[in-house]
Amino acid sequence: MTLDGTNTWIVMAPGSTAALVIDPGPDDESHLQSVCRVVADRGARVTTTILTHAHLDHSAGAPRFAELTGSVVRPIGRGHADLADGSVVRAAGVELRVVATPGHTADSLSFVLDADHALLTGDTVLGRGTTVVAHPDGELAAYLDSLERLQALTGAGVATILPGHGPVVPDASALVAYYRAHRAERLEQVRQALADGADGVDGVLERVYADVPRDVWPAARLSIAAQLAYLAERQ
Ligand SMILES: [Zn+2]
């Protein structure tokens, strides 16, 4: 489910001696060490670490990374007590605006880096493939609202997406539009499958996700459960 691994983003203003790190990633000593090395090679040190959400492939390395760097980690573990929608993170000579984008998980955050016209999306929007709505923590209604928020941001200065997995996305607007269209299409397929008599998550899986490789079926099951819950609430 991590594609080619989790992206760890290092953000710093030109010439800054401080660095901000987003998502140190899993608890992988060699990866954490190499992040420290990249920052040190630029004559800087990590002063602040933030997380897009609490999934372990993004957050499990945070405690060890805090030890290695002495940086403040906001937030750590479960919940985002000290980062909320609309708050601004100032570190490393840059400002990041926090945008709550629940849906993949309840705690998912995105960060707007106005200086680079960039949006850091964690797992809300990926550089490749599409996102899992991780039912029951993740919810489809919230996810659709979050995509709408991201779409609005792309109309207000955001050009590029720096995702939690996969490559940088140069056309943020096109990708978010694709995600919205894809979600609507899947939902329609699920609605149709139910109308045709598909029974439960696996019934829908067989009809709608037959084209999806088997190794991502566990993820597909979560997204189907999220869609069934969404449709059930709206009957
Ligand atoms: Zn995740």
Side-chain angles (χ1 to χ4, degrees):
M1 286 172 73
T2 68
L3 300 176
D4 33 17
T6 304
N7 291 330
T8 295
W9 295 99
I10 302 168
V11 180
M12 53 197 287
S16 175
T17 56
L20 167 75
V21 166
I22 298 162
D23 287 349
D27 192 8
D28 175 337
E29 185 72 16
S30 72
H31 172 67
L32 299 177
Q33 294 277 4
S34 71
V35 174
C36 291
R37 216 163 31 243
V38 168
V39 173
D41 285 350
R42 285 170 168 70
R45 68 185 190 87
V46 180
T47 57
T48 304
T49 303
I50 58 179
L51 303 174
T52 58
H53 62 304
H55 273 169
L56 294 177
D57 57 324
H58 296 255
S59 67
R64 175 62 182 146
F65 193 64
E67 266 176 35
L68 287 170
T69 59
S71 73
V72 179
V73 179
R74 318 175 48 192
I76 190 165
R78 297 185 65 78
H80 292 297
D82 59 352
L83 281 182
D85 187 53
S87 50
V88 176
V89 180
R90 291 184 183 85
V94 298
E95 276 190 7
L96 288 181
R97 285 189 285 129
V98 179
V99 182
T101 48
H104 167 67
T105 59
D107 68 352
S108 287
L109 299 175
S110 296
F111 304 108
V112 181
L113 178 59
D114 286 308
D116 279 354
H117 306 288
L119 178 69
L120 294 120
T121 52
D123 285 357
T124 298
V125 174
L126 303 177
R128 188 178 298 131
T130 56
T131 295
V132 174
V133 178
H135 180 82
D137 180 43
E139 289 185 300
L140 184 58
Y143 187 67
L144 296 175
D145 287 349
S146 291
L147 289 181
E148 205 174 314
R149 294 193 81 181
L150 296 187
Q151 185 88 73
L153 288 171
T154 66
V158 166
T160 309
I161 288 175
L162 312 180
H165 303 277
V168 169
V169 179
D171 189 342
S173 176
L175 186 69
V176 175
Y178 164 73
Y179 265 64
R180 296 184 74 191
H182 171 78
R183 272 294 142 222
E185 187 188 355
R186 276 291 190 227
L187 193 59
E188 189 45 44
Q189 289 171 336
V190 170
R191 203 179 266 133
Q192 192 58 50
L194 293 174
D196 292 348
D199 189 24
V201 170
D202 281 322
V204 171
L205 181 72
E206 280 162 25
R207 285 174 196 243
V208 177
Y209 286 75
D211 57 320
V212 169
R214 257 174 195 276
D215 57 331
V216 295
W217 277 16
R221 281 194 177 92
L222 297 178
S223 282
I224 292 167
Q227 291 174 90
L228 294 181
Y230 177 89
L231 291 172
E233 280 163 21
R234 280 158 188 79
Q235 265 173 4

